[in-house]
Amino acid sequence: MSWLRTNTFHHGQFDPARLVEAKREQGLSVSLCIPTLNEERTVGKEVVIFIDELMRRHQLLDEIAVIDSGSADRTREVAAAFGADVYSAADILPAHGDNPGKGENLWKAIYQLRGDVIVYVDADIKNIHPRFVYGLLGPLLQDPEVGYVKAFYDRPLAEAGGTRPSGGGRVTEILVRPLFSLFFPELTAIVQPLSGEYAVRRSLLERLPFPICYGVETSHIIDVYHMAGMAAFAQTDLDRRVHTNQPTPALGRMAFRILQTFLKRVRSLGIVQELPDLGTLLRQFQVSDGRYEQVDWQITELERPPMIEVAEYQTLRAALRAAAATG
Amino acid sequence: MAAQGGFEELLGRVTTYPARVEALGGSLLTNLAMVAEIPAPTFHESARAQFLRDRLTEVGYQSCHIDAQGNVAALLPGSDEGTGEDAAPTPLLVAHLDTPAAGDLDHTVSLAPESAHGVAVADNALGVAALASLPAVLEELDVQPPGQIAVLASTGGLGDGDIRGLRFFLAHTDLAIDFGICVEGVQLGRLSHGSVGMIRGAITCRAPADEQPTAFGSAGAIPTLNEVIDGILALPMPARPKTSVVLSQVRGGSPSIRPAASATVHFVVRSEAGRQVTSLVRRINEIVAEVDAASAATVELNIVGRRQPGGLPFDHPLVARTHRIMRRLELQPHLTPSTSELAAFISEGVPAITLGMSFGHDVGTDKERVSIDAMYTGVAQLVAVIEAIEAGYCR
C-alpha cells in the first residue's frame, strides 16, 4: 500500500513552469510521440495545444512527433500543417520491415525521436489538455528513481446522444486486473495498466521488448516490474479522458492479444511451468440476415526486440553521443 | 484630442498585423479548443467560467474573478494609464460565455488546416478565445496600450438570459468604462453600432384541466396555439421602419396518442423603431386575449426580454475609425444592427460596437465551423480598434 501512497499523483500537483526548471537542472530533453492511424479529427487539436502550451509558453517539450501507421485520411497532412514532425512508421528502420499496430509505432519512435524521456499520448483524446503531458512528466522530473509513469482517469465514453459519466477500462477490469491479482498482486496497485498515455526514460524504454499491438502496455508493466520493481513506476490521475467507445468484438480481439502477451511472459518468467502451444485463432460470431455466422480471426501478437539490441540504433546513439561530446 | 497623423500611422502598420497574429495562431486555436469543449448552455456556464478564470490568470490578466452573476471579469493593466483628464480611456471587451447548444451534445473540437469545427465554436467560443489570447497577441505585435483593458466573459447573453451578465456588470462595476467592444465569433466584417428595438416573449396554451386526454375529439393545446400563430402571421409588417416578427421555437406534447396538455411558441419582435415593437406586442397581446376568451384552453403571454433601439451614429469617431481600420484590412464592413450585448452598453450610454472575429459556416448545426485564416484578420482588427481607443482617436 505504501507504493500507492507515495507514487500516485494528481496532475494538479505539478506546475509546468517548475517542471521546466527541473528539466533544465537535470539536463534532460523530452520528446512527445503521438501514434496515429486515421485520427484526422483529433490530431490537429492535440498538436496545436501541445506546441502552444508546452513548447512556446513552457519549454517542456523539445520535440513533437506523429508516427503514423499509414492513415487513409488527412491525419499526416493535418498534423504537419499544425507543426508536428510527421513520420511514416514504414519509413523508420525499413530494413526491419513494417507491422501494423500501435506498439510498432511506439517501438520505432525510440529510434526516431531524440529525447531522454519519451511521452506517449494517444491521438484519439477528445478533451485534450496540456496536463496529459506535464502530469506524466511530473513524477519523472522530481524523482530519479521513477522511470515509467502511467496515466489513469475517470474515463467517460462518448456515445450517441451524449457521454456516459463513468465506465471505461473494461478489458482492464475483466481481464488484466484478475490476471495481475493471480500472478502479480503488486501490480494491481496500478489503476489503469492499459492506459495509452505514459512517460518513460529512454534508458528503460530501450531495454523493453515491444509487442506490436495491444499487448504492448501489459508487457511493459510486467517487464519493468521484473527489471526494476515497483519503485520504477508512478501513476498520475489526469481526471477525465473522453474517447470513442470500442465495440465489444474489438475488445475481444484486444483481450486475445493481451492474453497472448501475458501467457508468454508467465511462461518465460517460469511462473507457469507447462503451457501447451498457444493457438492464434479467435472465433467470434455475427448475425447476418437472421443467421449466426462464425468469424475467424488469425491473431498473433508479434514482438519487437529491445531497441538497444538493434544495430542501427546502437550506431545512431553512438553517433549522437560522439556529436554531443564534441559540442 | 490625438493627432490625425497618429491614426494614419496606425492604419499604416495594421496591415502587418494578420500575418504576425498568425505566427502565434496556436494560442488562439488552443484557447478556442479548450473553451469550446466545455459545454455552456445559457444559465449553465459555471464550468466554462471556472476554466476561463484560471486561464485568464495563466495568460497574464489581473484581478481575474467570477462575480455574483457568474461573469468572468479581468483586467489587463496599461503601460501608462495617467490620471484625471490625461487618463487613457478604458475599453471593456465583452464576449458572451454562453452558447445556444445543449450541454449533452458532443462538444469535441476538430481542427483542420483551414477551419475549426465543433459545437458553438462560432457562437461564441471564438469570441471568448479572442479575449484569452489578447495578452499574447499584444506582446507579439509589440502593442503596449497605455490604459487598462477590461474584459468580461458574460453569462446569460443569449435568449432568456436577456444579457443579464453584462447588465449586472455595468450596474455594479467600480470601473469607469469609456467604450465597449462586443466580441462575437462571427461574422468577420460585421460592424454593429446600433441596436434595434426588440421584445422577446413566449405564449403558452394549456388545455382545460377537466379535458379527458384520451377521449375522441379531445384536441389539446396545439390547435389553440395554432390559432395564435395564425393570428401573429397575419399581422401587417411595415416596410419602414424595418420590422419583423420571428417565431423561434415551438414546443408541446409528446409522441404519443395523447393530445398535448400544453404548448408554447417563442417569438421575437424587432424593429428599428421602438414604438413599432410596442405596437406589435400590443397586437399580439390582443390576439392572445381573443383566443383565450374564445377557447376552452388557457392562453398566456410572457415577456422575457426587452431592448430599446439606439446606438451611435455612423460618424461617431468609434464607428468611423473602426470602419477605416476594417477597410485597411480589406474587409467590407457590414453595418448590421444588433440585439445582443450592444443594447446593454446603449442603455448605459457607453459608446460601443460589435465586431466579428471570423467567417462562420453552418452556424447552429452540428457542422458549425469557423475559418482559421480569417481569425487572424479578426483579431488584428480588434487590436487596432483597442489601439485607436486607447490613443484617444475615438473620443
Side-chain angles (χ1 to χ4, degrees):
Chain A
M1 288 303 287
S2 69
W3 180 90
L4 194 59
R5 278 201 308 273
T6 60
N7 285 34
T8 300
F9 302 89
H10 184 272
H11 69 84
Q13 293 173 251
F14 304 113
D15 172 4
R18 293 196 174 171
L19 293 180
V20 171
E21 288 175 22
K23 180 192 142 192
R24 284 187 181 140
E25 285 168 6
Q26 295 170 48
L28 293 174
S29 58
V30 180
S31 299
L32 170 66
C33 170
I34 304 174
T36 57
L37 176 62
N38 298 326
E39 312 283 5
E40 66 176 1
R41 188 165 179 232
T42 47
V43 73
K45 180 180 57 182
E46 288 199 14
V47 170
V48 163
I49 289 177
F50 288 139
I51 287 180
D52 185 58
E53 289 289 305
L54 300 179
M55 290 183 92
R56 188 186 64 81
R57 279 190 71 211
H58 305 290
Q59 287 76 50
L60 195 56
L61 293 175
D62 301 283
E63 179 179 30
I64 294 181
V66 164
I67 310 280
D68 186 66
S69 295
S71 293
D73 64 8
R74 298 175 70 196
T75 297
R76 281 171 295 195
E77 176 196 345
V78 170
F82 289 114
D85 299 329
V86 179
Y87 305 98
S88 171
D91 294 339
I92 303 170
L93 293 172
H96 292 259
D98 183 38
N99 295 304
K102 174 188 165 188
E104 176 87 350
N105 293 17
L106 306 186
W107 181 72
K108 289 190 169 180
I110 305 170
Y111 177 85
Q112 187 65 48
L113 306 190
R114 295 290 171 262
D116 303 309
V117 174
I118 297 181
V119 186
Y120 294 109
V121 175
D122 279 351
D124 66 342
I125 302 172
K126 294 186 170 188
N127 62 325
I128 198 69
H129 185 276
R131 69 176 185 270
F132 283 84
V133 170
Y134 70 72
L136 295 173
L137 285 171
L140 275 173
L141 294 174
Q142 71 178 26
D143 184 351
E145 197 174 358
V146 170
Y148 197 109
V149 186
K150 291 289 285 189
F152 68 99
Y153 313 93
D154 175 23
R155 303 198 306 174
L157 301 174
E159 294 186 329
T163 56
R164 194 153 64 83
S166 63
R170 286 170 288 169
V171 177
T172 294
E173 297 305 322
I174 291 169
L175 178 70
V176 176
R177 187 168 299 286
L179 286 175
F180 280 179
S181 299
L182 288 169
F183 294 95
F184 303 99
E186 265 196 306
L187 291 177
T188 57
I190 297 175
V191 178
Q192 285 179 350
L194 299 185
S195 71
E197 286 68 48
Y198 34 100
V200 196
R201 292 187 198 278
R202 177 178 292 273
S203 54
L204 185 59
L205 201 56
E206 64 189 5
R207 292 187 286 143
L208 297 174
F210 271 68
I212 62 164
C213 201
Y214 290 118
V216 66
E217 281 87 11
T218 306
S219 78
H220 281 185
I221 299 290
I222 296 171
D223 293 344
V224 171
Y225 178 63
H226 182 63
M227 277 183 210
M230 285 303 286
F233 288 111
Q235 59 185 351
T236 304
D237 181 352
L238 298 181
D239 286 342
R240 296 175 71 241
R241 181 195 198 277
V242 182
H243 65 119
T244 304
N245 192 9
Q246 290 210 54
T248 303
L251 295 182
R253 296 191 289 278
M254 179 193 296
F256 191 83
R257 287 180 180 277
I258 289 170
L259 202 47
Q260 285 182 330
T261 300
F262 184 88
L263 292 174
K264 184 176 176 182
R265 270 151 182 77
V266 293
R267 181 158 54 189
S268 66
L269 291 171
I271 295 170
V272 172
Q273 299 301 327
E274 292 185 16
L275 273 178
D277 288 340
L278 299 174
T280 57
L281 180 65
L282 173 67
R283 292 202 167 99
Q284 295 181 320
F285 286 89
Q286 66 183 23
V287 177
S288 178
D289 294 330
R291 290 168 45 185
Y292 283 100
E293 289 179 354
Q294 190 167 286
V295 183
D296 291 347
W297 300 88
Q298 278 292 341
I299 298 174
T300 304
E301 186 74 347
L302 300 173
E303 288 199 17
R304 291 293 198 177
M307 186 58 83
I308 202 161
E309 296 174 8
V310 175
E312 292 93 327
Y313 180 75
Q314 294 167 0
T315 304
L316 174 69
R317 297 305 295 180
L320 290 171
R321 280 193 295 272
T326 58
Chain B
M1 177 65 73
Q4 174 71 16
F7 184 68
E8 297 302 324
E9 285 174 17
L10 170 60
L11 287 180
R13 65 177 180 269
V14 73
T15 53
T16 68
Y17 283 7
R20 293 163 68 191
V21 175
E22 184 176 2
L24 54 71
S27 170
L28 191 56
L29 294 174
T30 292
N31 286 317
L32 174 61
M34 292 201 292
V35 168
E37 292 196 336
I38 304 170
T42 305
F43 305 132
H44 300 281
E45 303 99 336
S46 61
R48 185 175 284 193
Q50 287 169 28
F51 167 81
L52 188 68
R53 176 197 54 197
D54 296 344
R55 185 70 180 159
L56 295 184
T57 304
E58 285 172 22
V59 300
Y61 280 99
Q62 295 184 4
S63 306
C64 306
H65 67 282
I66 296 175
D67 69 16
Q69 198 67 44
N71 298 307
V72 183
L75 281 174
L76 207 53
S79 59
D80 182 15
E81 295 177 4
T83 56
E85 289 187 358
D86 294 331
T90 298
L92 172 63
L93 278 55
V94 182
H96 67 83
L97 197 57
D98 52 334
T99 76
D104 60 355
L105 295 175
D106 180 354
H107 277 59
T108 302
V109 171
S110 180
L111 297 183
E114 64 282 351
S115 57
H117 303 233
V119 167
V121 288
D123 189 13
N124 185 32
L126 179 55
V128 175
L131 301 189
S133 304
L134 187 62
V137 171
L138 292 174
E139 185 179 348
E140 177 69 21
L141 298 177
D142 197 23
V143 171
Q144 297 168 332
Q148 63 184 353
I149 299 170
V151 299
L152 185 77
S154 60
T155 55
L158 297 170
D160 291 354
D162 198 24
I163 52 177
R164 62 173 63 182
L166 178 57
R167 289 187 200 279
F168 176 88
F169 182 83
L170 291 174
H172 293 87
T173 183
D174 294 331
L175 292 170
I177 303 298
D178 298 297
F179 294 93
I181 304 176
C182 305
V183 183
E184 290 281 351
V186 295
Q187 295 286 347
L188 180 60
R190 168 184 188 175
L191 172 53
S192 301
H193 57 94
S195 174
V196 294
M198 185 275 287
I199 289 182
R200 188 193 308 273
I203 299 165
T204 298
C205 299
R206 291 185 180 81
D210 57 353
E211 190 171 73
Q212 293 300 313
T214 55
F216 284 108
S218 161
I222 289 176
T224 309
L225 185 70
N226 197 45
E227 283 184 53
V228 175
I229 291 172
D230 284 344
I232 293 173
L233 294 178
L235 290 172
M237 292 294 141
R240 299 281 178 191
K242 288 180 184 173
T243 302
S244 71
V245 177
V246 173
L247 304 180
S248 58
Q249 186 181 48
V250 175
R251 284 196 299 194
S254 62
S256 69
I257 61 168
R258 293 170 179 268
S262 71
T264 301
V265 60
H266 292 256
F267 67 90
V268 184
V269 179
R270 283 185 284 206
S271 177
E272 292 171 342
R275 59 185 160 73
Q276 277 296 340
V277 177
T278 307
S279 168
L280 270 170
V281 172
R282 190 182 307 120
R283 286 291 299 124
I284 291 172
N285 211 5
E286 288 168 4
I287 293 168
V288 166
E290 194 176 312
V291 175
D292 182 60
S295 74
T298 304
V299 189
E300 292 176 344
L301 169 64
N302 182 28
I303 300 298
V304 296
R306 291 177 187 273
R307 311 271 194 284
Q308 290 301 318
L312 303 176
F314 180 77
D315 61 358
H316 186 283
L318 175 62
V319 182
R321 301 291 200 193
T322 302
H323 193 270
R324 290 196 63 197
I325 288 168
M326 294 172 76
R327 293 297 297 267
R328 184 55 65 96
L329 288 167
E330 299 184 350
L331 297 171
Q332 296 297 324
H334 302 296
L335 303 173
T336 55
S338 169
T339 54
S340 64
E341 279 76 9
L342 198 59
F345 283 116
I346 291 168
S347 298
E348 295 292 327
V350 177
I353 54 173
T354 300
L355 298 174
M357 293 295 105
S358 183
F359 298 121
H361 310 277
D362 296 320
V363 176
T365 75
D366 60 357
K367 294 182 176 59
E368 183 164 323
R369 62 195 186 279
V370 287
S371 300
I372 290 177
D373 279 350
M375 289 177 198
Y376 307 133
T377 303
V379 173
Q381 104 195 291
L382 177 63
V383 171
V385 173
I386 292 169
E387 284 188 271
I389 288 173
E390 295 258 356
Y393 304 140
C394 299
R395 289 191 195 275

